[in-house]
Amino acid sequence: MKTTRKLSLLPPYLFAELERAKAEVMKQGKEVIDLGVGDPDLPPPSGLLEALKKALENPEYHCYPPYNGTAEFRRAVADYYRETFGVKLDPEKEILGLIGSKEGIAHLPFALLDEGDLVLVTDPGYPPYSSSVIMAGGKLQPVALKEENRFLPDLQAIPEEICQKAALFFLNYPNNPTGQAADLEFLTELVGWAKKHDIILAYDNAYADIVLEGKPLSILQVEGAKEIAIEFMSLSKPFNITGWRLAFAAGNPEILEALLKFKKIVDSGAFCALQEAGVYALTREKSFPEQMREIYRKRKAILVEDLTPLGWEFYPTNATFYLWGKVPRGRKSFEYCREVLLKTGVLITPGIGFGAEGEGYFRISLTCPDKDLQKAVAKIKENM
Ligand SMILES: *Cc1c(COP(=O)(O)O)cnc(C)c1O
């Protein structure tokens, strides 16, 4: 069958390749403990489930939703930004509802790019950034995230010629996969640099609420950020509702309008009942993310404490529910993770799946019940 050439340029989706190795282990009758995908294991707050059930009974909610999100949802987002970040947003023009932030991320390049336009993406990076740029006909320029620079991009090291050409920059902090959070100093430098070179910032803040040390940050806190940036935020991770598909983008009104124009040919907005439940989450469940953070802090501490004596080495992360570990010297990340999986049944993600700069590292997701994490440690102790 003929498919578009661009589709053949996409890397095999990392998790798909690991799924195959996982199936192999399961076929041998071994148990697999999946610490690969970042998908919260714990239930959403019970009040949120009740809010969704109640919303289902509203007969008006079963029709097409407003394209840009319900007015109530956008107002709740604006209130959340004011209280959390001290940022004022116009719910009419500066907030756009999304069907999960991945949806917005994947569609943005189609709204902004012409064939051959240059886009900066971090390496390592969240795979949908580069895949959507490829599909939209853009050209990729990886920006290395190095450990010696706390996995923040070294903006001054990006050649002037590249800065001149680049149209867009995708990046995300708190960072998946490294677990590093940004600070306001870096965000301020980033906004100044992007304005100087007229580069649109697509700042993915999916883990804003999973900062384990210090305060959550929004790029929109930086003065003038709205001239050049939009920020993606999601209810998926902080409220344990990845399957619901509810998120939003906030920031520059022209960029949001362009994204909306493209979205209108693809979807018709998130189900209204979900958006009403989202209002409940943002306004009535403000303390829930802290309960989750406490659980992730404990899981991180336990795993690091148990695995370090076995020679496993971790980057000291301060955010997200991931651990970023170092592959033993001289080994390749995919081959090493495959060996761990085959010997122990524990699935961890090779850093190479996030880009060439991820080589030498692996990612462990802590979105797994405590007893399974303990079991994983025991299997590693026994078999590695
Ligand atoms: C999980 C994740 C998302 C996507 O979240 P949605 O469920 O689509 O809102 C976006 N960016 C990063 C970096 C993620 O890890």
Side-chain angles (χ1 to χ4, degrees):
M1 185 188 60
K2 188 198 172 294
T3 59
T4 168
R5 191 182 56 85
K6 287 171 187 162
L7 204 64
S8 69
L9 296 177
L10 302 187
Y13 198 52
L14 165 79
F15 298 124
E17 236 166 276
L18 279 171
E19 284 300 315
R20 273 197 290 281
K22 178 176 163 180
E24 208 177 299
V25 173
M26 285 165 82
K27 233 170 65 191
Q28 295 165 4
K30 275 197 216 153
E31 183 187 6
V32 170
I33 302 170
D34 191 341
L35 308 184
V37 183
D39 189 356
D41 57 302
L42 292 158
S46 57
L48 180 55
L49 298 180
E50 290 309 316
L52 178 60
K53 284 181 203 161
K54 202 171 130 241
L56 285 174
E57 282 161 24
N58 186 333
E60 287 170 18
Y61 284 174
H62 301 281
C63 300
Y64 283 122
Y67 282 108
N68 62 339
T70 64
E72 294 76 15
F73 181 65
R74 285 179 284 111
R75 211 173 306 126
V77 169
D79 290 344
Y80 166 85
Y81 263 72
R82 202 185 49 246
E83 285 166 29
T84 313
F85 306 120
V87 170
K88 245 188 97 194
L89 292 174
D90 175 355
E92 281 306 314
K93 297 194 178 113
E94 295 177 330
I95 297 169
L96 173 62
L98 298 173
I99 306 178
S101 55
K102 192 195 254 181
E103 179 263 296
I105 288 163
H107 287 146
L108 186 68
F110 290 89
L112 297 184
L113 301 181
D114 281 316
E115 201 72 25
D117 280 353
L118 192 66
V119 179
L120 307 174
V121 287
T122 63
D123 176 4
Y126 179 59
Y129 306 147
S130 42
S131 295
S132 62
V133 169
I134 290 171
M135 291 309 292
K139 257 183 69 186
L140 290 166
Q141 176 68 46
V143 175
L145 304 182
K146 300 271 193 191
E147 181 163 349
E148 62 263 29
N149 206 19
R150 291 182 300 145
F151 294 110
L152 299 170
D154 181 356
L155 300 172
Q156 302 317 317
I158 303 173
E160 183 61 28
E161 184 198 335
I162 301 279
C163 297
Q164 293 289 341
K165 276 197 216 147
L168 175 66
F169 189 9
F170 270 111
L171 70 175
N172 90 295
Y173 292 94
N175 186 248
N176 171 11
T178 65
Q180 175 68 49
D183 48 34
L184 201 53
E185 194 188 337
F186 168 72
L187 294 181
T188 306
E189 184 198 351
L190 176 66
V191 168
W193 171 89
K195 276 172 132 174
K196 181 175 158 212
H197 299 290
D198 199 18
I199 297 171
I200 292 174
L201 295 174
Y203 189 80
D204 176 2
N205 207 348
Y207 297 90
D209 269 316
I210 315 184
V211 172
L212 304 181
E213 292 163 30
K215 278 209 274 188
L217 287 177
S218 160
I219 196 167
L220 303 178
Q221 278 169 259
V222 178
E223 202 166 320
K226 270 189 212 171
E227 290 165 37
I228 203 91
I230 66 166
E231 174 162 88
F232 292 98
M233 277 248 216
S234 175
L235 280 76
S236 287
K237 308 281 170 50
F239 295 106
N240 302 338
I241 52 171
T242 51
W244 289 24
R245 316 311 298 132
L246 188 61
F248 54 88
N252 182 275
E254 288 86 35
I255 303 171
L256 294 179
E257 198 184 323
L259 176 56
L260 175 62
K261 193 169 173 185
F262 186 78
K263 271 173 63 61
K264 278 183 181 172
I265 64 173
V266 181
D267 67 69
S268 304
F271 179 27
C272 287
L274 283 181
Q275 297 193 56
E276 183 172 307
V279 171
Y280 178 90
L282 290 172
T283 57
R284 309 280 300 279
E285 292 288 355
K286 285 182 200 159
S287 61
F288 185 78
E290 174 53 24
Q291 295 172 38
M292 291 301 108
R293 288 194 288 272
E294 194 46 33
I295 288 168
Y296 296 133
R297 278 187 204 108
K298 283 192 184 133
R299 287 179 179 177
K300 255 184 193 179
I302 291 171
L303 243 74
V304 170
E305 198 177 293
D306 288 347
L307 293 176
T308 304
L310 304 178
W312 287 43
E313 208 184 323
F314 295 100
Y315 176 71
T317 58
N318 56 9
T320 75
F321 42 55
Y322 303 112
L323 278 172
W324 191 233
K326 297 181 196 179
V327 169
R329 214 179 286 277
R331 302 289 307 273
K332 292 283 189 201
S333 66
F334 191 83
E335 172 230 335
Y336 178 70
C337 291
R338 216 181 135 74
E339 181 191 327
V340 172
L341 177 60
L342 295 174
K343 279 190 174 164
T344 68
V346 178
L347 194 163
I348 58 178
T349 309
I352 187 75
F354 301 99
E357 293 288 340
E359 187 51 274
Y361 297 92
F362 58 83
R363 191 191 74 178
I364 294 182
S365 173
L366 300 166
T367 53
C368 179
D370 290 339
K371 65 169 183 9
D372 290 342
L373 287 174
Q374 284 158 12
K375 211 190 279 175
V377 168
K379 298 222 179 207
I380 290 166
K381 260 187 196 163
E382 203 178 307
N383 299 300
M384 280 303 288

